[in-house]
């Protein structure tokens, strides 16, 4: 029984990821989840109290995967400056990755405090990685520099998401250039 429940929970999370990637948080509704999974709407409520609860669980499951990929890219870099570049490039590369569409949609949405807190914690892990590299580059306030650097990344993510005038590669190169010039500051 427990295995069956965890399979259904997994199916609900997968459906939630698809809905988020297709239409952002507005698309994530219980009727839509029920329809995608073939469960009765009342069954969806047995697993999750609210949309926010679905989003929170996705944050817990998916953000660490994102962070691990960024971390691996940084560990492969052989200098603090290359780590900064890897930090920016890998996050922006993940934007186009289907597995991470939900993470991007969640990050861009208006969330309740619980979900925001989970995202902050996950982002905190990312930011902690970059604080060390910035400290090694001689920054007086590496924590502040890390938050500002993540701001560049977040702005670039939104720009790529909007599918506006520039190609994603151009946005990535601009973000990397700005980040590297900034951290050399």
């Amino acid at each position: 029984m427990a295995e069956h429940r965890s399979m259904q929970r997994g199916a609900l999370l997968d459906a939630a990821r698809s809905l988020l990637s297709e239409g952002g948080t507005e698309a994530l509704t219980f009727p839509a989840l029920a329809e995608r999974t073939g469960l009765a709407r009342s069954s969806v409520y047995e697993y999750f109290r609210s949309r926010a609860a679905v989003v929170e669980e996705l944050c817990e499951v998916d953000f660490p995967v994102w962070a691990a990929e960024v971390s691996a890219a940084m560990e492969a870099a052989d200098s603090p400056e290359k780590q900064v570049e890897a930090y920016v490039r890998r996050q922006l590369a993940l934007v186009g990755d289907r597995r991470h569409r939900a993470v991007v949609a969640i990050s861009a949405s208006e969330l309740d405090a619980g979900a925001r807190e989970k995202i902050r914690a996950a982002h905190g892990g990312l930011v902690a990685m970059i604080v060390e590299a910035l400290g090694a580059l001689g920054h007086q306030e590496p924590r502040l520099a890390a938050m500002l650097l993540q701001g560049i990344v977040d702005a670039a993510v939104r720009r790529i998401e909007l599918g506006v005038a520039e190609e994603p590669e151009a946005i990535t190169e601009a973000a990397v250039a700005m980040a590297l010039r900034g951290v050399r500051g």
Side-chain angles (χ1 to χ4, degrees), residues 3-184:
E3 194 177 319
H4 178 66
R5 279 191 68 81
S6 97
M7 273 173 62
Q8 286 196 328
R9 191 177 202 89
L12 283 165
L13 288 175
D14 277 340
R17 284 184 192 98
S18 298
L19 290 164
L20 282 164
S21 343
E22 291 157 22
T25 41
E26 299 77 56
L28 179 61
T29 64
F30 278 27
L33 282 173
E35 192 180 314
R36 287 280 165 109
T37 53
L39 292 170
R41 201 181 309 182
S42 58
S43 300
V44 178
Y45 283 99
E46 288 175 31
Y47 291 91
F48 297 105
R49 295 181 317 281
S50 63
R51 279 169 20 136
V54 178
V55 168
E56 280 182 44
E57 184 144 338
L58 278 175
C59 293
E60 274 177 47
V61 175
D62 291 0
F63 270 94
V65 177
W66 171 290
E69 294 203 22
V70 174
S71 173
M74 285 177 68
E75 280 165 23
D78 55 9
S79 71
E81 205 163 83
K82 287 262 189 286
Q83 285 182 315
V84 169
E85 181 169 350
Y87 178 82
V88 175
R89 278 192 195 282
R90 192 71 202 120
Q91 287 192 72
L92 297 181
L94 290 173
V95 175
D97 183 330
R98 272 222 42 88
R99 288 168 310 150
H100 295 295
R101 303 286 303 165
V103 168
V104 174
I106 290 168
S107 300
S109 63
E110 296 303 309
L111 296 169
D112 75 316
R116 269 201 311 275
E117 202 34 65
K118 294 221 162 51
I119 290 176
R120 252 199 301 280
H123 268 281
L126 277 179
V127 170
M129 290 189 267
I130 204 66
V131 167
E132 202 175 318
L134 293 168
L137 283 169
H139 266 275
Q140 300 306 301
E141 293 197 51
R143 181 112 196 117
L144 173 60
M147 299 310 269
L148 296 174
L149 176 61
Q150 186 60 41
I152 293 173
V153 173
D154 292 341
V157 165
R158 277 193 298 279
R159 194 87 187 152
I160 290 170
E161 266 302 279
L162 288 169
V164 284
E166 311 90 351
E167 287 298 312
E169 294 74 36
I171 297 169
T172 299
E173 292 313 315
V176 166
M178 186 172 275
L180 289 177
R181 277 200 299 272
V183 298
R184 284 182 196 120

